[in-house]
């Protein structure tokens, strides 16, 4: 006798619950999500699809991550009224937006910001609207439109302060530190990074978020010191930071660590160490689809190889960076790559 539709739903829910409760199935998020979906449990299906997307991206399977996010959005949009709340929209679009940002998908990031802005307006929810501004600012950053990005982030920070959303605030202040550094406003970049550290101390944040924010604040303080010409002391501090945090970091923050170690060892003429950190950084950049950082690492490798007289390798890495930058129309990387190629020729 075949099971009825209702019985099948119960079976799917029980299988999903048993798998979700067992740590040995932690890498089976897509399967768990589907069991919850077929079992009619939309909330848990949604939650596990977000876990599935995050897991796929960590493995460098970008297509699977995108599919999981799209499935989660479909569930959210088609669910009956009252099943999902504003926090679910925030969770989806903020996590998806971070994925789009770090995998350099600018158009997607703009779309996600626009969607969250629409939902925030429809629900009259300032947290959603301000978070959409951060997503839009990140898209502007990828397009090197820094003035627009900083205006959006400043507006978001003001809103987060008014509505007392401390977790959103500290993340937005971190973004301000990044933007100010790229705009060469180093005093404001340092001020923002130190404010991140202060806010972390004042708030009880989730452990993984606290670790990432702490690391990033110190990362940018070191970046600022390096910019001020303190290469030797900064290298020592960054090596200590790397040892303290590395095993706790997400892949994207590990990439940042290898990138800065590459830059600093190049400046210190530690070419083999520079090259070793660059190779490890490239592995992660390729895995995450992060062409922005990949180009910077390739250019550092090319410079180190040029100085050592390894012109064939230098040409190869500079040309690879140039092709990537041309695809994305990233002018600073295009100029840097052409300068190296010009020196080689």
């Amino acid at each position: 006798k075949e099971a009825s539709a209702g019985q099948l739903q119960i079976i799917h829910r029980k299988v999903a619950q048993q798998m979700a409760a067992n740590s040995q199935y932690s890498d089976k998020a897509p399967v768990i999500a589907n069991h919850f979906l077929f079992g009619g449990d939309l909330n848990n299906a949604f939650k596990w699809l977000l876990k599935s997307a995050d897991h796929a991206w960590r493995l460098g399977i970008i297509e699977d991550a995108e599919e999981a996010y799209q499935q989660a959005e479909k569930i959210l949009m088609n669910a009956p009224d009252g099943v999902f709340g504003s926090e679910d929209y925030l969770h989806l679009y903020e996590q998806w937006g971070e994925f789009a940002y770090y995998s350099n998908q600018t158009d997607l990031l703009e779309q996600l910001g626009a969607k969250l802005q629409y939902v925030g307006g429809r629900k009259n929810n300032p947290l959603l609207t301000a978070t959409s501004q951060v997503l839009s600012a990140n898209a502007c950053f990828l397009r090197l439109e820094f003035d627009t990005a900083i205006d959006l982030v400043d507006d978001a920070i003001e809103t987060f302060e008014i509505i007392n959303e401390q977790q959103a605030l500290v993340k937005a202040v971190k973004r301000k530190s990044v933007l100010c550094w790229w705009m060469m406003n180093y005093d404001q970049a340092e001020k923002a990074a130190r404010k991140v550290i202060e806010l972390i101390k004042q708030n009880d944040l989730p452990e993984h978020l606290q670790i990432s924010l702490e690391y990033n604040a110190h990362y940018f303080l070191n970046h600022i010191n390096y910019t001020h010409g303190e290469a030797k002391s900064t290298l020592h501090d960054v090596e200590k930071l790397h040892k303290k945090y590395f095993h706790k970091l997400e892949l994207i923050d590990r990439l940042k660590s290898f990138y800065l170690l590459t830059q600093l060892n190049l400046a210190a003429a530690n070419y083999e160490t520079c090259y070793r950190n660059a190779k490890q950084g490239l592995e992660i950049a390729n895995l995450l689809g992060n062409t922005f950082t990949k180009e910077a690492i390739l250019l550092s490798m090319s410079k180190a190889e040029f100085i050592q007289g390894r012109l064939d390798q230098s040409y190869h890495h500079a040309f690879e960076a140039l092709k990537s930058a041309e695809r994305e129309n990233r002018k600073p990387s295009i100029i840097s790559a052409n300068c190296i190629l010009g020196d080689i020729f």
Side-chain angles (χ1 to χ4, degrees):
K1 182 182 177 180
E2 291 187 3
S4 67
Q7 289 171 324
L8 283 174
Q9 275 199 332
I10 293 170
I11 292 169
H12 278 296
R13 278 201 299 270
K14 285 185 176 179
V15 171
Q17 289 162 358
Q18 288 174 359
M19 291 182 72
N22 194 326
S23 60
Q24 78 178 81
Y25 295 118
S26 58
D27 62 340
K28 302 295 184 185
V31 177
I32 295 170
N34 279 328
H35 278 301
F36 275 125
L37 184 59
F38 291 131
D41 188 339
L42 298 181
N43 288 105
N44 272 312
F46 176 80
K47 181 178 77 173
W48 279 91
L49 278 168
L50 294 189
K51 289 185 179 183
S52 173
D54 188 55
H55 181 70
W57 188 45
R58 289 168 196 264
L59 296 176
I61 312 173
I62 291 176
E63 296 82 4
D64 286 2
E66 289 174 340
E67 184 178 346
Y69 282 126
Q70 289 163 1
Q71 279 187 273
E73 183 182 46
K74 186 176 180 180
I75 290 173
L76 193 62
M77 295 302 179
N78 294 331
D81 290 344
V83 175
F84 293 104
S86 295
E87 68 279 3
D88 296 305
Y89 286 93
L90 179 67
H91 195 182
L92 170 64
Y93 289 120
E94 188 174 34
Q95 184 179 319
W96 197 354
E98 187 168 297
F99 159 77
Y101 172 67
Y102 284 118
S103 57
N104 301 134
Q105 299 188 63
T106 311
D107 291 342
L108 172 61
L109 187 51
E110 285 181 337
Q111 293 165 17
L112 297 174
K115 287 179 179 180
L116 190 57
Q117 182 183 30
Y118 171 76
V119 175
R122 183 163 56 85
K123 292 181 174 290
N124 193 25
N125 187 310
L127 174 58
L128 300 189
T129 302
T131 303
S132 78
Q133 290 179 301
V134 177
L135 298 187
S136 298
N138 286 341
C140 290
F141 172 81
L142 290 178
R143 295 196 190 281
L144 307 182
E145 298 168 357
F146 299 142
D147 290 333
T148 305
I150 199 73
D151 287 344
L152 286 165
V153 167
D154 279 339
D155 285 349
I157 287 172
E158 184 178 354
T159 301
F160 294 143
E161 288 175 334
I162 291 170
I163 63 178
N164 195 29
E165 284 288 347
Q166 294 297 302
Q167 186 168 312
L169 174 62
V170 68
K171 288 189 283 189
V173 174
K174 185 200 87 169
R175 293 304 311 149
K176 182 169 182 175
S177 179
V178 175
L179 285 165
C180 288
W181 187 88
W182 276 91
M183 297 172 77
M184 295 186 286
N185 189 344
Y186 301 125
D187 289 342
Q188 287 300 313
E190 180 176 354
K191 184 179 177 181
R194 294 197 183 281
K195 186 174 180 180
V196 168
I197 295 171
E198 181 185 328
L199 287 167
I200 290 169
K201 291 176 181 176
Q202 294 172 358
N203 294 280
D204 184 21
L205 301 172
E207 184 181 12
H208 74 282
L209 178 60
Q210 179 176 327
I211 289 169
S212 178
L213 289 169
E214 275 181 1
Y215 169 77
N216 276 276
H218 289 294
Y219 169 88
F220 266 97
L221 288 173
N222 283 314
H223 231 317
I224 292 161
N225 287 338
Y226 169 49
T227 304
H228 289 327
E230 303 291 336
K232 187 174 181 180
S233 61
T234 303
L235 176 57
H236 176 70
D237 291 343
V238 170
E239 287 172 339
K240 284 173 57 179
L241 190 69
H242 185 82
K243 288 177 184 176
K244 178 180 178 181
Y245 284 96
F246 187 77
H247 67 287
K248 305 175 186 178
L249 296 178
E250 303 286 349
L251 276 178
I252 190 62
D253 288 330
R254 291 185 178 191
L255 173 59
K256 294 175 186 176
S257 189
F258 283 128
Y259 161 72
L260 190 51
L261 283 168
T262 298
Q263 295 288 95
L264 290 167
N265 279 290
L266 175 61
N270 301 328
Y271 300 125
E272 290 307 317
T273 307
C274 164
Y275 197 76
R276 186 168 61 250
N277 282 290
K279 286 185 71 175
Q280 292 179 86
L282 277 181
E283 286 181 14
I284 299 175
N286 285 326
L287 192 66
L288 299 180
N290 190 311
T291 57
F292 192 94
T293 308
K294 177 182 177 179
E295 289 159 20
I297 292 174
L298 284 169
L299 291 169
S300 293
M301 291 176 76
S302 181
K303 289 174 186 176
E305 290 158 343
F306 178 79
I307 293 168
Q308 292 177 294
R310 296 154 62 182
L311 299 186
D312 286 346
Q313 295 97 319
S314 179
Y315 171 83
H316 171 75
H317 288 126
F319 188 73
E320 186 179 352
L322 176 63
K323 292 294 107 180
S324 173
E326 286 178 340
R327 283 193 294 271
E328 302 290 339
N329 193 30
R330 255 192 292 272
K331 292 179 182 177
S333 294
I334 293 171
I335 293 168
S336 296
N338 277 315
C339 285
I340 297 171
L341 292 169
D343 288 338
I344 292 171
F345 293 129

